[in-house]
Amino acid sequence: MACLLASSSSTSTIMFSLLRQTKLRLWISFLLLGIYLTSLPVSAKPDSLKEVTDGNWEKILTGEWMIEFYAPWCPACQQLQSVWKEFADWGEDMGVNIAKVDVTEQPGLSGRFIITSLPTIYHCKDGFFRKYQGARTKDDFLSFVDEQKWKAVEPVSSWFGPSSFLMNSMSALFKLSMFIRRCHNYMTEQLGIPVWGSYIIFGLATLFSGLVLGLLLVFIADFVFPSRRFSSSDYYQKKQAMEQARLIQQQDEAQEADGEEEEDEEEEEEDEVWRKRRGSPEGRPEPKGLGYPDEALRKRVVGNRKEEEEEEEEDT
């Protein structure tokens, strides 16, 4: 009997200790669960500050946004970060999306919004962008949105809006410049190419790409807008007729030149005959020392010819 009592007491002790351990574990589990649940809002706060990139920037065209453009190396941007995070914690309650853009990582957005100073803050409402020019405190940001002070600010023109053709071109240009810069840093730092060598490479690449682009534009222009002169059906017939006319004209000019040469030869022969007959009326040479002017000799020769013709007419 005593043994039974001893065994039952030991069993009850073991059960009590197990129950005690189970309760302790339950309390520890509830405590950990409470700590986890209370830590959820704290970990969700950083998500209230959104990040805008070149890939998802179009989402800011809908709804209301406040966007900060910053750079990690900018001292003014570093001072604004804590204020901007506190302002972002109020964004969900006010129905406003608070975002930031790192211009060093997103050069396309820097060109799309023409960021010339840092930090730069924009307010966007349903695709209309306004540049924030007020004080940079949390209360000023809250009053700007809550009291709708942005309505007093002139929105950016549609010509310079981030979705316009001009700003798309600027974005592409900024991306290209950043790509060139990275290539330059890679060649000078990783490959060990001198700076002047990198400049020569980029110069030759620019020249070659310009030539290729120019040829491509010429081919496209010829294909889209062909020349009417070459596209007409009778172009080659007209060209052949013009060549024949040119050949005929050259032949005429050659014949005229030959005729002029023959006339010159006839004149030379007449002059030679006249020089032979410039003596006495019978054709004898004049005595030496008797010199007559050329005009007088001509008249004498002509007069002799007329007398001979009159004598022949009388004989007939």
Side-chain angles (χ1 to χ4, degrees), residues 2-50:
C3 291
L4 291 174
L5 291 173
S7 62
S8 62
S9 61
S10 62
T11 303
S12 61
T13 304
I14 293 172
M15 291 180 63
F16 179 76
S17 63
L18 290 175
L19 181 62
R20 188 176 176 182
Q21 290 178 2
T22 303
K23 288 182 178 180
L24 182 62
R25 288 176 182 176
L26 288 174
W27 279 108
I28 293 174
S29 299
F30 284 126
L31 180 63
L32 293 176
L33 181 61
I35 294 173
Y36 174 75
L37 292 175
T38 54
S39 64
L40 282 178
V42 177
S43 61
K45 283 186 178 180
D47 294 337
S48 59
L49 183 59
K50 300 177 175 60

Side-chain angles (χ1 to χ4, degrees), residues 173-241:
L173 183 62
F174 272 66
K175 288 180 181 180
L176 178 62
S177 64
M178 184 59 67
F179 172 75
I180 293 174
R181 181 179 178 182
R182 289 173 179 172
C183 290
H184 173 74
N185 293 335
Y186 176 76
M187 288 189 291
T188 54
E189 296 176 2
Q190 301 295 329
L191 302 180
I193 298 175
V195 175
W196 59 267
S198 175
Y199 290 158
I200 291 176
I201 293 173
F202 281 115
L204 294 175
T206 303
L207 180 62
F208 178 75
S209 60
L211 292 174
V212 173
L213 182 61
L215 290 175
L216 181 61
L217 291 176
V218 169
F219 290 149
I220 293 174
D222 288 340
F223 179 77
V224 177
F225 305 104
S227 176
R228 294 182 180 179
R229 185 180 65 177
F230 295 101
S231 61
S232 59
S233 59
D234 57 344
Y235 166 72
Y236 293 101
Q237 296 178 359
K238 291 181 179 180
K239 185 177 180 181
Q240 187 176 4

Side-chain angles (χ1 to χ4, degrees), residues 50 59-67 91 94-99 122-128 144-150:
K50 300 177 175 60
K59 68 182 181 180
I60 66 177
L61 298 177
T62 57
E64 188 172 4
W65 292 76
M66 287 286 286
I67 310 165
M94 301 176 64
V96 180
N97 298 292
I98 314 300
Y122 272 95
H123 174 270
C124 177
K125 176 69 173 178
D126 296 331
F128 291 95
F144 182 80
V145 175
D146 189 38
E147 299 176 10
Q148 297 185 355
K149 294 181 178 180
W150 48 267

Side-chain angles (χ1 to χ4, degrees), residues 260-275:
E260 291 177 358
E261 291 178 358
E262 291 177 357
E263 291 178 358
D264 293 339
E265 291 177 357
E266 291 178 357
E267 290 179 358
E268 290 177 357
E269 291 177 356
E270 290 179 358
D271 292 340
E272 186 177 356
V273 172
W274 176 76
R275 283 195 299 270

